[in-house]
Amino acid sequence: MNSLTLLLLASAAGVTPAEEIADRIVAANHKKVGVVPSVISRLGAREATVGSLGPRARTIPKVVHDQLVTLSTDNRYRGKFTVVSERVMRSAINEVAHNRSLNVADLGNPRALKAMSKYTGADGFVTLTFDEEPEILDASGDDDRKEKPADDKKEDGSAVSKRKNFEEFGIEGTDAEGEQFLSDTVKDRNILSTAAYMGDSFEVLRWSGNTLSSVGLQTSHPIFGEDSNWQFGKGEKWEQVKFQKLKSTLEHPLDIDGFPYDVQVVVDGQVRKRLKLDGKYVVQLEPGEEYAVQIKNETEHQALVAVFVDGVNSIDKELREPLGLESHRHWVIMPGVKGEVRGWYNIDAKQEQQKGNRFRIVERDQSVAAQQGFYDNIGTITAIFYVNDAASGHYVKYPNDKLLENLRGGLGESLFGTGTGEEMERNIKFKTAKRGALLAAVTLYYRSQQEIDGIQQGSGNDLVFPDRIDLADNRDRDRTDFEPDLQRDEPKSDEPKSDEPKSDEPKSDEPKSDEPKSDEPKNDRPLIIE
C-alpha cells in the first residue's frame, strides 16, 4: 500500500495525526466536516494550489480524507461525525468559485465558508497548508529567467538545492463562521520516490556493464560500514536513508554526461525542443496538440519505468504515488531501445490489442484538474526508472534489511496510508518483472508558448508557483492540461467506477482498497515500451 510518514509534532505518543484531527472535531462538536482537496501552498503573501509539492498537493489531502472516513466508522468515533465525500467537496469548490469569483486565498473567507457549508452541509472544514522554500522553486537564486540553451543534454551545469529531509505542513480546522478549532503542524519524511513524484530530477545509481554503482549519493554513511552496500537498498525505508544521503545540490540528469536514459516529448513524429527555465526543463505544448513521451535506454539492462502526467499514472489512469505502485503498472524499456508511451491505457491482460486515449492538451476548463474543482495546471511529465529485478536483480548487491535496525531511533513507521484524446488500439507485449532499486527520475514541465514568454519576461507566473490561481474558470487565461479519459469500453472490475460515495453514510464513505477484489486473474506483468 502506498504510504505517507506524517508525524504530528504536538501529539501525544501513539496518537496518529488523523486521530488528533478527529479528537478536535469531536471536541468542537462538529457533526460533518469536509477536507479541502488540495494543499494550499504559501510563498510570502501569495497562495496557490500548485507549488513545489507537485501532484502530492492532491494525494496528501486524500490521505487525510480517507483516514478520517475510516475513523468515523470506528467504535471510538462512530456516530460522532461524518465526512463530506471528495466528489461533493470538489463540486462545492467549483460551484462557489463560479458564482463568487474566488481565488485560493478566499477559501478561509467566512463568506466563502458559509457558501461551502450551505452546499455540502458541513459545519467544519480541514485544510492543509505548506510554506514554500524559494531555493527549491528557483535554482538560479535570482530573478534572471531568460532562456538558457538546451541542445540535447548540454547545459551550463546549474544545479538545484536538495529538499529538506522532512516537509512540514500546517493543519487548520475552521467552522462555517471562520472560527478556528484546529491549528497544528505535521512533518512528512521525504524519500526518493516521493521527491521524484513532486517533480525533482536526479540520478542515484548507474549501470556500467553488469556493475551497478552509486553516482548521486554521498560516498559514506556514518552508521553503515563500507561493505554494507547501503547505496543499493530498495523499498521505502532504504529510499528514506538514501534521500538523506543525496548530494546537497542535484544536477539535472539531462545535464550529466553519460546519463543513460532520455525523456523527450514527441509531437507529430518530431521531438519538441526542451528549454531550461529556473533549473528545470520545459517543453512547449499548445491546446489541441497530441503528443507522446519518448523514453530511451542506453544501458545493457532492462529498466522498469513509471510514467506520470500531472501525477496520474499512464497505466490505468490513477492518481497514485509511486511508492505503492505495483510492478504491473510500470513500463519495461528494453536495453538499447527508444520507445514511446503515447497515451492513457486501461489494460486488459486477456486482450492482445489494448485500448487507450492519446495524450492531448486541452483548454483548462476541460482538464482533469478542472473536474476536481481546481483550475490550476501542474503541467508535469515524470519518468521514474527502477532496476528490473526479474532480469538483473542477481547483479545487484542488495543490503541486508536488518542493517536498518542500527539506525538511531529507527525509521518512522507510516502513520497515514493512502488508499487507493482520441481512442487508439495498440498491440502491447507483456514482460515478467519485479521492481528493484530506484535508478533515476526525470521530470519535464509543459507550458504554452504564452506562458513560457511570461516566465522569461517576468510578466507571468513562475514555472512552479503562480502569482494567482483562480478557482473559477477564467477563459481569458490560456491554461492547459491533459485531456480527460474518453475511453468508451471500460474494463470489467469489481471496484466501483468512482471512489466517491453516493451518500454521507459512514459505510459508503470508506476509501477503496489498493488490492483488486475481482476473482479474475489480474495482469501481474508490466508492458514493454516499443
Side-chain angles (χ1 to χ4, degrees):
M1 175 180 286
N2 197 4
S3 59
L4 300 171
T5 17
L6 287 166
L7 308 175
L8 189 62
L9 296 180
S11 292
V15 178
T16 69
E19 290 172 332
E20 179 77 12
I21 297 170
D23 287 342
R24 302 288 184 90
I25 291 170
V26 172
N29 200 31
H30 289 299
K31 300 302 182 183
K32 190 174 184 180
V33 294
V35 179
V36 175
S38 185
V39 176
I40 307 303
S41 293
R42 294 169 175 165
L43 183 62
R46 298 158 56 191
E47 292 185 322
T49 58
V50 232
S52 64
L53 293 175
R56 292 201 86 207
R58 298 286 189 277
T59 57
I60 293 174
K62 179 173 175 56
V63 169
V64 176
H65 170 274
D66 289 351
Q67 290 296 308
L68 286 177
V69 167
T70 299
L71 286 174
S72 71
T73 65
D74 183 77
N75 289 335
R76 178 180 173 187
Y77 302 100
R78 187 185 300 276
K80 295 183 178 180
F81 70 89
T82 60
V83 183
V84 179
S85 72
E86 294 172 284
R87 175 184 57 80
V88 171
M89 279 298 296
R90 291 195 295 262
S91 297
I93 291 174
N94 194 10
E95 182 72 18
V96 174
H98 272 285
N99 293 338
R100 299 178 181 270
S101 300
L102 298 178
N103 60 34
V104 171
D106 294 321
L107 285 178
N109 185 306
R111 180 172 61 95
L113 290 172
K114 287 181 180 179
M116 295 261 296
S117 177
K118 182 178 180 180
Y119 190 97
T120 63
D123 55 10
F125 298 95
V126 176
T127 305
L128 280 84
T129 63
F130 177 73
D131 291 329
E132 294 283 357
E133 297 179 64
E135 61 269 27
I136 298 298
L137 292 172
D138 185 357
S140 64
D142 55 36
D143 292 329
D144 182 12
R145 297 177 183 163
K146 294 181 180 179
E147 175 186 337
K148 300 173 183 178
D151 297 331
D152 197 22
K153 298 180 182 178
K154 303 300 181 182
E155 226 286 313
D156 61 0
S158 61
V160 299
S161 300
K162 192 194 88 168
R163 294 174 186 268
K164 295 179 180 177
N165 293 333
F166 293 87
E167 303 288 6
E168 189 169 295
F169 298 90
I171 298 182
E172 300 174 1
T174 312
D175 65 20
E177 302 296 325
E179 295 295 324
Q180 198 170 67
F181 67 86
L182 168 64
S183 179
D184 228 321
T185 307
V186 298
K187 278 189 174 183
D188 176 24
R189 298 176 187 268
N190 276 323
I191 67 173
L192 295 178
S193 292
T194 53
Y197 189 67
M198 288 187 282
D200 292 358
S201 297
F202 47 81
E203 184 181 16
V204 182
L205 305 172
R206 184 185 296 186
W207 287 107
S208 176
N210 290 330
T211 301
L212 194 62
S213 59
S214 168
V215 292
L217 300 171
Q218 298 174 29
T219 56
S220 61
H221 195 286
I223 304 300
F224 306 121
E226 292 184 3
D227 299 327
S228 65
N229 299 319
W230 65 270
Q231 300 97 327
F232 309 118
K234 60 181 176 179
E236 179 179 3
K237 292 187 176 182
W238 282 115
E239 283 197 21
Q240 186 182 141
V241 169
K242 292 196 287 187
F243 182 85
Q244 294 171 357
K245 302 303 288 184
L246 276 177
K247 295 176 181 178
S248 58
T249 55
L250 303 175
E251 190 173 3
H252 200 293
L254 299 180
D255 297 335
I256 301 174
D257 289 337
F259 180 61
Y261 307 106
D262 197 16
V263 181
Q264 298 273 12
V265 170
V266 176
V267 180
D268 294 331
Q270 300 296 316
V271 172
R272 188 61 55 93
K273 179 183 178 183
R274 297 181 300 218
L275 309 176
K276 192 75 173 289
L277 295 173
D278 292 350
K280 300 171 177 65
Y281 278 96
V282 188
V283 293
Q284 174 207 344
L285 287 172
E286 302 293 342
E289 288 189 317
E290 293 185 341
Y291 68 93
V293 180
Q294 183 187 91
I295 298 176
K296 182 164 62 174
N297 176 10
E298 295 180 342
T299 74
E300 299 175 12
H301 295 266
Q302 299 175 20
L304 261 64
V305 190
V307 178
F308 300 90
V309 176
D310 284 4
V312 178
N313 189 24
S314 57
I315 299 174
D316 295 337
K317 198 172 182 287
E318 292 184 352
L319 184 70
R320 292 183 59 189
E321 297 195 15
L323 183 62
L325 204 63
E326 302 90 342
S327 292
H328 64 273
R329 287 189 169 93
H330 295 67
W331 299 89
V332 174
I333 182 73
M334 301 298 286
V337 166
K338 178 168 63 177
E340 294 182 355
V341 177
R342 298 168 187 167
W344 312 104
Y345 290 90
N346 286 316
I347 301 302
D348 183 351
K350 297 179 181 180
Q351 302 297 321
E352 183 174 335
Q353 292 286 328
Q354 301 297 330
K355 291 185 177 182
N357 300 96
R358 295 187 183 279
F359 295 130
R360 179 183 294 170
I361 303 299
V362 299
E363 296 293 345
R364 185 175 61 165
D365 62 335
Q366 298 175 315
S367 70
V368 170
Q371 294 178 352
Q372 295 178 350
F374 288 92
Y375 288 87
D376 58 14
N377 178 33
I378 298 172
T380 56
I381 300 168
T382 297
I384 308 177
F385 298 84
Y386 297 89
V387 172
N388 182 0
D389 272 357
S392 305
H394 57 287
Y395 292 117
V396 183
K397 299 177 180 179
Y398 284 120
N400 190 328
D401 287 346
K402 290 185 178 180
L403 289 171
L404 293 167
E405 299 172 1
N406 296 331
L407 293 174
R408 297 185 183 92
L411 296 170
E413 294 295 331
S414 297
L415 300 182
F416 276 163
T418 302
T420 61
E422 178 187 351
E423 189 171 295
M424 60 179 172
E425 290 189 358
R426 187 179 180 188
N427 189 355
I428 298 179
K429 300 176 183 178
F430 295 90
K431 189 77 176 177
T432 301
K434 181 180 179 182
R435 193 170 84 176
L438 191 152
L439 297 165
V442 175
T443 288
L444 304 179
Y445 289 77
Y446 64 86
R447 296 290 186 269
S448 68
Q449 187 61 56
Q450 179 181 345
E451 292 173 306
I452 292 173
D453 291 343
I455 295 169
Q456 293 173 339
Q457 297 165 9
S459 59
N461 288 328
D462 295 345
L463 177 60
V464 177
F465 193 93
D467 289 324
R468 182 178 186 273
I469 288 293
D470 292 330
L471 295 177
D473 178 22
N474 181 343
R475 295 180 184 248
D476 292 334
R477 296 184 59 200
D478 185 21
R479 303 289 295 182
T480 61
D481 206 325
F482 56 82
E483 183 176 25
D485 194 354
L486 303 178
Q487 181 160 327
R488 295 194 268 288
D489 297 325
E490 294 292 334
K492 293 182 179 180
S493 172
D494 288 334
E495 291 183 0
K497 291 184 178 179
S498 170
D499 61 352
E500 306 299 344
K502 295 184 178 180
S503 72
D504 287 314
E505 292 297 320
K507 286 186 178 180
S508 66
D509 228 351
E510 291 182 1
K512 64 182 182 181
S513 168
D514 288 335
E515 294 299 323
K517 298 179 181 179
S518 173
D519 291 329
E520 296 180 4
K522 67 177 182 179
N523 165 34
D524 59 358
R525 297 177 297 166
L527 297 81
I528 299 177
I529 301 177
E530 294 183 321

